[in-house]
Amino acid sequence: MTSQNQRFEQLFQSNVKLSAYSTYEIGGEARHLALPRTIEELSTMLHGARTKGLNPFLFGSGSNTLFPDHPDEEMLFFSLKEHIEFKLLPGRLFVSAGTPMTLLALFGLYTGIDAFDFTFLLPGTLGAGVYMNAKYFSHQISDVLETAYVIDKERPEKGIIPVPLGSCEYGYKNSIFMRMPWIVVGADLKLPVDPKLTPQETDELFAKLKAKNLSTSVLPDYYRHYTNELNVAAKQGFQVRQELLDVIADRGGKLHFDFPSCGSVFKNNYTIGEPMGKLVDRIGLRGTIIGGAMISDHHGNIIQNRGGAKASDIVDLVHLVQEKVEAEFGFVPEPELVIV
Ligand SMILES: Cc1cc2nc3c(=O)[nH]c(=O)nc-3n(C[C@H](O)[C@H](O)[C@H](O)COP(=O)(O)OP(=O)(O)OC[C@H]3O[C@@H](n4cnc5c(N)ncnc54)[C@H](O)[C@@H]3O)c2cc1C
């Protein structure tokens, strides 16, 4: 066995339940799973996957991904969520793709920068946020992105390629990253002001942010952990902006974190004039149950796992909503949820 081959084998976990890697808590056993912690490990993994004829499937925190009940044996599921890195540069902050978005809001809390407040309690990694232009009300990742950095899955030997904002083709939950075989490995985010920190204070801040990371797919744990961080910060004398408290009130009020889900299932269709949740309400589908899955009785665009749901239960509810919305409003809603 060559050392390259050995390194590849070490990156693997075998026969892993994907349900532990999605906020739906759904997904059968994957034959192959890898969590590369560095770009070098990622390159080794891609090379090995190609040699072994495996099909790599990339995810982040699995907060927008429905894994299958019976994953394809030839698929290599991999996530960059263990690769968390920050670098402070003049006018910008480099953040690696695996970093949870909510840590950006904590960075803003500790430095007095409000540009990232919208990422607070937005489950998911920066890489996926860049991929699908994650959005909270009127704020989205494209507002703060300066340059994304990608590796071409099909030609990893080309190395890291910068993609400036102007080439990202951003729209509503849409981007060039959704059309290209690219892995986002990090991004430079614009800083409205440079934090006044010494190199040592900067290192301490980044170490503190990494220590705050909670790698979990269990939504109530996620919610408790990060809301509590605001109390901790307040006690340490940091000023907690009202915007962060508003996020807690809004998301808590919509019961976003009470049951396993992936948040909104469908993109809004802005030509219709009403959000998807309202349309689902109007056709009386709130609370509809199939198997272990239910359309939330608080929010028509959220399908929850109410206990033991299968991927097929969620998919059946997705199809039901699509059929009824098409019959009533004349269009087929497009899932925002990534169904593997
Ligand atoms: C309670 C709750 C509330 C939510 N609220 C919001 C919200 O307000 N706004 C919003 O936009 N979303 C929301 N979401 C959905 C989800 O959190 C976001 O879509 C988030 O961006 C997904 O991040 P992730 O890392 O979990 O992505 P995953 O689900 O792991 O992956 C999603 C997609 O991104 C791709 N991807 C992942 N990492 C990379 C990468 N490094 N490079 C290229 N592609 C990549 C994957 O291939 C996949 O297609 C919510 C979800 C939940 C559970």
Side-chain angles (χ1 to χ4, degrees):
M1 202 189 270
T2 65
S3 66
Q4 174 105 12
N5 215 340
Q6 266 168 347
R7 284 209 304 274
F8 176 62
E9 295 296 338
Q10 282 161 2
L11 287 172
F12 267 144
Q13 297 174 41
S14 303
N15 307 327
V16 179
K17 278 203 184 288
L18 289 172
S19 52
Y21 291 89
S22 163
T23 53
Y24 254 134
E25 299 184 30
I26 291 175
E29 214 169 76
R31 182 88 185 82
H32 314 283
L33 175 88
L35 304 172
R37 284 159 304 178
T38 61
I39 301 296
E40 199 213 344
E41 285 189 357
L42 172 65
S43 305
T44 306
M45 193 212 74
L46 289 173
H47 180 82
R50 197 191 282 185
T51 313
K52 290 187 181 286
L54 297 175
N55 181 16
F57 177 84
L58 167 63
F59 67 100
S61 297
S63 66
N64 203 35
T65 299
L66 179 64
F67 289 123
D69 296 320
H70 303 288
D72 179 347
E73 296 237 322
E74 302 306 311
M75 253 187 181
L76 165 58
F77 292 87
F78 75 103
S79 164
L80 299 179
K81 66 191 262 192
E82 306 261 303
H83 180 210
I84 300 180
E85 195 185 315
F86 301 89
K87 220 174 284 166
L88 196 54
L89 302 156
R92 62 198 205 275
L93 174 72
F94 171 84
V95 185
S96 63
T99 305
M101 278 182 278
T102 201
L103 288 189
L104 298 176
L106 293 188
F107 168 84
L109 170 61
Y110 303 138
T111 53
I113 290 173
D114 63 4
F116 306 118
D117 286 354
F118 75 99
T119 66
F120 186 54
L121 295 181
L122 212 170
T125 55
L126 177 73
V130 169
Y131 169 85
M132 60 179 51
N133 200 11
K135 183 174 193 290
Y136 182 65
F137 287 105
S138 60
H139 299 282
Q140 48 205 343
I141 288 292
S142 54
D143 299 342
V144 293
L145 187 124
E146 188 172 289
T147 307
Y149 297 95
V150 302
I151 289 181
D152 190 327
K153 237 189 303 187
E154 290 165 5
R155 300 173 71 191
E157 63 283 355
K158 282 170 70 182
I160 295 175
I161 305 164
V163 185
L165 176 64
S167 304
C168 292
E169 300 177 12
Y170 273 129
Y172 164 60
K173 300 251 164 126
N174 198 349
S175 76
I176 191 169
F177 308 101
M178 297 163 91
R179 296 181 278 282
M180 299 297 283
W182 289 347
I183 299 168
V184 176
V185 293
D188 285 338
L189 306 177
K190 290 178 249 187
L191 289 177
V193 284
D194 285 322
K196 304 247 171 307
L197 298 172
T198 63
Q200 191 189 333
E201 286 166 341
T202 306
D203 289 347
E204 282 167 7
L205 171 63
F206 292 155
K208 175 170 163 176
L209 284 171
K210 283 187 192 181
K212 301 284 177 197
N213 175 40
L214 178 73
S215 183
T216 181
S217 301
V218 179
L219 288 173
D221 293 351
Y222 171 91
Y223 179 71
R224 256 193 310 275
H225 174 77
Y226 287 111
T227 50
N228 186 48
E229 284 308 326
L230 298 196
N231 300 330
V232 173
K235 280 191 194 132
Q236 291 170 346
F238 293 99
Q239 197 214 330
V240 177
R241 283 183 293 281
Q242 185 58 40
E243 284 74 6
L244 299 176
L245 300 173
D246 290 347
V247 173
I248 295 179
D250 172 53
R251 291 193 184 271
K254 289 178 185 156
L255 308 189
H256 271 180
F257 299 97
D258 287 29
F259 292 96
S261 84
C262 273
S264 297
V265 174
F266 297 100
K267 294 185 186 180
N268 289 318
N269 178 341
Y270 286 115
T271 59
I272 295 290
E274 276 189 294
M276 268 306 294
K278 286 267 161 12
L279 300 185
V280 172
D281 290 353
R282 288 225 263 136
I283 47 182
L285 285 180
R286 259 203 214 190
T288 306
I289 293 175
I290 295 183
M294 180 172 122
I295 299 177
S296 164
D297 40 12
H298 277 86
H299 193 299
N301 199 13
I302 293 181
I303 299 177
Q304 300 165 329
N305 173 3
R306 298 292 289 227
K310 303 232 169 304
S312 54
D313 299 335
I314 307 282
V315 171
D316 287 350
L317 280 175
V318 166
H319 290 156
L320 178 71
V321 171
Q322 286 179 318
E323 271 167 37
K324 299 271 186 198
V325 168
E326 185 181 19
E328 189 69 25
F329 303 105
F331 77 99
V332 179
E334 183 190 345
E336 162 178 340
L337 176 68
V338 177
I339 300 174
V340 186

